[in-house]
Amino acid sequence: MSRPQLTYQQAIEYALKAREAGEAALARRWAGYAARLAPNEEIPWLILGSLAKPRASYEYYRQALKINPTNRIARIGIQRAEKALGKKLTFPPAKRLSNKFAPAADPANTVRRRPPVLALFTITSILAIFAL
């Protein structure tokens, strides 16, 4: 029996809820999953940029700007990353963002594995908390 595949929209929803709950690692995982499902959407890159350290944040926001050059949030994020690093970053244009920043697409392939029942319980409990 196969597990049902999550949609891009569900992954974004879980990432935002995890971010609001202060669960940065979980939010990064869901946003990375969404980025792999839809690499030409800017929202997962913006979420990843908001959760990352300045150098990685710069790359995530740059990826969002490739998709939508007028994105104000990405431009502000790049300015903040440059300010935090204390210099203006000048990288040659990359063809594609390195996979080392994006988590694995399948959450079951992560280093920390949970039994399927516990994983379902965790997702269900997160949704139950935000439903209140």
Side-chain angles (χ1 to χ4, degrees), residues 8 11-12 15-16 27-28 30-51 60-61 63-64 67:
Y8 162 79
I12 290 295
L16 291 173
R28 269 193 299 274
W30 283 117
Y33 184 71
R36 286 184 183 262
L37 288 175
N40 293 327
E41 292 289 332
E42 61 193 288
I43 294 173
W45 302 111
L46 295 173
I47 295 170
L48 288 166
S50 71
L51 297 167
Y60 290 133
Y61 286 129
Q63 183 68 18
I67 297 165

Side-chain angles (χ1 to χ4, degrees), residues 14-24 26-27 46-47 50-51 130:
Y14 292 155
L16 291 173
K17 287 181 179 181
R19 184 173 178 261
E20 289 172 8
E23 296 286 339
L26 185 60
L46 295 173
I47 295 170
S50 71
L51 297 167
F130 289 108

Side-chain angles (χ1 to χ4, degrees), residues 40-122:
N40 293 327
E41 292 289 332
E42 61 193 288
I43 294 173
W45 302 111
L46 295 173
I47 295 170
L48 288 166
S50 71
L51 297 167
K53 293 183 178 178
R55 184 165 293 280
S57 176
Y58 179 85
E59 290 296 327
Y60 290 133
Y61 286 129
R62 210 171 95 179
Q63 183 68 18
L65 282 177
K66 284 182 187 176
I67 297 165
N68 179 2
T70 62
N71 190 300
R72 185 170 174 238
I73 296 170
R75 291 189 181 281
I76 292 170
I78 285 178
Q79 290 173 351
R80 288 183 179 173
E82 289 173 341
K83 185 177 179 181
L85 292 170
K87 60 183 172 183
K88 188 121 177 135
L89 297 175
T90 54
F91 291 115
K95 289 185 179 180
R96 187 176 144 102
L97 186 64
S98 171
N99 285 339
K100 72 179 184 179
F101 295 114
D106 185 9
N109 289 337
T110 59
V111 175
R112 187 175 160 207
R113 294 188 180 179
R114 296 185 179 123
V117 173
L118 183 58
L120 178 63
F121 175 74
T122 305

